[in-house]
Amino acid sequence: MRGEPSCPKCGGRVRAPGLFADTWQCDLHGTVHPLQPVVPPSVEALAVVVGRTRVPVWMPWPLPVGWLFTGVACAGDDRSGGRATAVACSGPAPLGGPGELILVAEELGVGLGARYAGIEGPDPGEYLRVDKPADGKVLAAGRPTPLWLVENTPPDRAVFAGEARGLWLWAVVWPEESALLMYDELVLTDLRDAGAEVDLVPIGALSPRILD
């Protein structure tokens, strides 16, 4: 994901708007919202995404004890604005060892959440059963938000999805046992509403998960 924009669905190269198309194009997926290059995590990197995006930038706030902000990604361009965001956080897993969490907010059809989930996208679709009680719950911008486990994902992770502010909200956690994080009613803040508190976010090294 470094260097130049890529397809949010597959990570492949994309062509910029030009003579024959006025949108970004992926050879495999057609019109896409380009995923911008990921830069090392910093307050400045967060500020760029927060200033560009038209969708929430979700982060657990306060972060769980010992956890750090470890990356941010945004799909969209200067003309359309951000149509998907991904925030990575890393810290001690509930059952020991390192844990990682990526939170994705996106419009219908962007496909970034499905990519981190490791499923065919662009949306949860048949992988998400909402005809049963929710498997987890978060408090997103002060509103109780149910999340359901996404089925048939790779065994190294647990994936939850639901809806917040009229958009998809994905939570992808590694390892799979770190799903316990999602049963504690994690409090999520949209960093667009955080103001100067963004300057207080503790920062760690770039997570390789957000580069996958």
Side-chain angles (χ1 to χ4, degrees):
M1 291 187 191
R2 298 182 194 229
E4 36 183 64
S6 60
C7 175
K9 300 176 182 179
C10 67
R13 295 182 65 180
V14 291
R15 296 187 305 277
L19 183 61
F20 299 105
D22 60 0
T23 56
W24 289 82
Q25 297 288 314
C26 168
D27 287 341
L28 185 60
H29 295 104
T31 297
V32 295
H33 294 293
L35 185 64
Q36 299 300 321
V38 174
V39 299
S42 65
V43 170
E44 293 76 16
L46 267 180
V48 168
V49 171
V50 168
R52 170 187 292 158
T53 185
R54 296 169 56 171
V55 303
V57 184
W58 296 118
M59 178 181 282
W61 194 254
L63 283 163
V65 174
W67 281 65
L68 304 169
F69 159 62
T70 53
V72 63
C74 181
D77 57 21
D78 290 337
R79 182 176 62 175
S80 66
R83 302 304 183 94
T85 62
V87 172
C89 301
S90 307
L95 298 181
E100 301 210 48
L101 165 68
I102 290 182
L103 293 168
V104 176
E106 65 181 355
E107 295 180 354
L108 189 72
V110 176
L112 186 58
R115 178 175 170 184
Y116 288 125
I119 61 171
E120 293 291 329
D123 301 308
E126 63 188 33
Y127 298 97
L128 192 67
R129 287 186 51 204
V130 296
D131 58 345
K132 60 184 180 68
D135 299 289
K137 184 183 291 186
V138 297
L139 203 64
R143 300 179 70 89
T145 302
L147 298 174
W148 289 266
L149 272 169
V150 178
E151 300 177 345
N152 299 319
T153 59
D156 65 335
R157 72 201 71 180
V159 181
F160 297 78
E163 176 271 326
R165 291 190 166 175
L167 301 160
W168 286 119
L169 167 60
W170 300 75
V172 187
V173 293
W174 293 266
E176 188 272 339
E177 294 81 6
S178 292
L180 292 172
L181 281 170
M182 308 310 299
Y183 302 131
D184 271 344
E185 197 164 271
L186 207 61
V187 177
L188 306 184
T189 293
D190 180 355
L191 294 182
R192 297 178 302 171
D193 302 329
E197 285 194 42
V198 172
D199 295 340
L200 305 177
V201 172
I203 297 169
L206 180 64
S207 168
R209 299 290 186 189
I210 206 163
L211 298 172
D212 287 346

